[in-house]
Amino acid sequence: MTNPSLTRRQAIAGAAALPLAAAAAGRAAASAPMMGNDIPTHARFTLGGFEVTTLLAGTRVVPDPQTIFGLDVSEEAFAEASEAAMIPTDASRFYFTPTVVNTGSELILFDTGLSPAGTLAALEAAGYSADQVGHVVITHMHGDHIGGLMDGETETFAGARYLTGATELDAWDMSGNETFEAKVRPLAEAGKIETLEDGGSVAPGVTAMAAFGHTPGHMAYMLESEGRQLLIAADFANHYVWSLAHPDWEVRFDMDKEAAAATRRRLLGMLAADRVPFVGYHMPFPGLGYVETAGDGFRYMPHSYQLTMSE
C-alpha cells in the first residue's frame, strides 16, 4: 500500500523545486558577455547663467607614476600617500579633459585634447558640432592640449577665434617643438591667434589668470556668472593626490618646478579659502571638484551634485 501523506509531501517538494529549476534555467539564458570598463564621454552642469560641459577626449593607463610625480620624495613616502588614498603605486589612469562653456551668446572650447578625433567625438556626443565653437582657448602648449587644433593641414575649428597667453606663445615660438610647429604655427602665421595677458578677457565673465610654472605662460581661466565662480584650472595640478594633495612634490612635466609649486600653493589656497569649484584637465573624470586644506597640504573633494541642482 502507498502512504498518502508521503505522496503529498513528495508532490509538494517537487512543485517547490520547479520555480528554482526555472530560475536556474533563466539565469543561464540571461548570461551576457563581459563589457569592460565604461567611462562617460561628457558631463554637463550649470554655473549661474553658463552651461559648462567637460569632455573626455581620451584616457589611458600609465605605468610607474613616480617617474612623473613625486620625483624628489622617497618610494616610501610615495607609497604611503598612495595607500592612504587607496590607489596603486605601479600605475595610474590619465584623463584628458577639454571643457566647453556656453555663455548663452558664445560657445568657448578650452583646450583641444590629443587629437581631433577624440575631441570631436566627445564634443558631438555632448550635442555640439565643431562649427558651433566660436572661441578656442589654449591654456598652454603641451601636445595633449593643442593636438586637436589641426587635422593635417585642416583646421578642426575653422570658424573660431583662437586665444592664448602672450607669454606662452612667445616661449614656444622659438622652441622648435614639432607639435607646436604642426598644430600652432600655421594658425599663428595666418594671423589667427590672439594673445592675452593676466587679467585679460576672453568674453564677458571669462577672465585669464596667470598660472606660470607648469609652462612659461600657463593660464587658468576664471568663470563668473550670476555671482557664481569656477576655475578652468588646466594643469597647474596634474593629479589629485601626487600633485594637488602634495603641492611641493616635483612633477616631471613642470618646466619650472619651483614656480609651479608656488603657483599650486597660491591657487589651491584661493580655491580652498573661497570655496570655488574647479575643472582640472587631468583630474578623475568628469574633472570637477573642490579643494580643502589638510595639514600642510590640500585635499581634493570630487563634485557630487552641487552644480546640478537646476532642473
Side-chain angles (χ1 to χ4, degrees):
M1 295 178 62
T2 60
N3 186 328
S5 62
L6 180 60
T7 303
R8 285 194 296 270
R9 283 197 301 269
Q10 291 172 334
I12 291 169
L18 289 175
L20 297 176
R27 282 196 298 273
S31 63
M34 296 293 187
M35 303 296 287
N37 295 326
D38 189 13
I39 303 173
T41 59
H42 66 279
R44 183 174 292 118
F45 51 91
T46 57
L47 184 83
F50 292 175
E51 282 188 347
V52 181
T53 306
T54 58
L55 307 174
L56 187 60
T59 179
R60 64 172 178 245
V61 173
V62 177
D64 301 321
Q66 205 181 354
T67 63
I68 300 171
F69 302 101
L71 302 182
D72 56 337
V73 303
S74 68
E75 289 184 14
E76 292 75 16
F78 190 84
E80 182 180 355
S82 304
E83 183 178 1
M86 302 186 196
I87 55 177
T89 59
D90 61 340
S92 177
R93 180 171 286 281
F94 279 25
Y95 302 86
F96 304 90
T97 312
T99 299
V100 176
V101 177
N102 188 346
T103 68
S105 59
E106 312 270 6
L107 195 68
I108 307 170
L109 174 66
F110 290 86
D111 293 329
T112 66
L114 292 154
S115 68
T119 300
L120 287 176
L123 185 72
E124 290 167 6
Y128 301 118
S129 60
D131 59 5
Q132 290 177 306
V133 175
H135 298 66
V136 174
V137 179
I138 300 299
T139 62
H140 64 293
M141 300 289 179
H142 278 159
D144 55 328
H145 295 256
I146 62 174
L149 281 171
M150 302 283 292
D151 188 0
E153 297 182 358
T154 303
E155 291 179 50
T156 309
F157 306 99
R161 296 170 56 202
Y162 301 94
L163 301 100
T164 195
T167 300
E168 184 74 356
L169 184 61
D170 289 345
W172 288 84
D173 186 43
M174 302 301 291
S175 68
N177 179 271
E178 290 183 6
T179 306
F180 176 89
E181 293 299 321
K183 303 290 186 173
V184 179
R185 178 72 68 192
L187 302 175
E189 289 184 345
K192 293 188 174 184
I193 297 182
E194 303 173 32
T195 58
L196 297 164
E197 304 288 349
D198 182 28
S201 176
V202 174
V206 184
T207 304
M209 179 181 293
F212 301 172
H214 179 64
T215 60
H218 183 283
M219 287 280 199
Y221 289 85
M222 183 65 79
L223 308 182
E224 299 184 70
S225 177
E226 298 178 3
R228 306 293 298 275
Q229 291 184 308
L230 179 140
L231 187 69
I232 305 292
D235 285 18
F236 88 94
N238 274 351
H239 190 277
Y240 73 107
V241 176
W242 303 318
S243 182
L244 184 153
H246 300 276
D248 300 324
W249 284 12
E250 288 189 359
V251 179
R252 187 173 101 201
F253 299 121
D254 287 344
M255 296 173 72
D256 184 331
K257 292 175 174 48
E258 184 176 349
T263 291
R264 272 194 290 278
R265 284 206 168 271
R266 173 173 61 85
L267 292 184
L268 290 170
M270 177 200 73
L271 292 171
D274 297 343
R275 302 171 69 87
V276 172
F278 78 103
V279 171
Y281 193 82
H282 296 295
M283 294 296 118
F285 195 77
L288 175 63
Y290 297 81
V291 177
E292 65 176 359
T293 56
D296 187 46
F298 299 90
R299 182 181 293 112
Y300 180 63
M301 301 176 62
H303 174 266
S304 56
Y305 54 77
Q306 299 94 324
L307 300 182
T308 61
M309 297 299 288
S310 60
E311 294 298 335

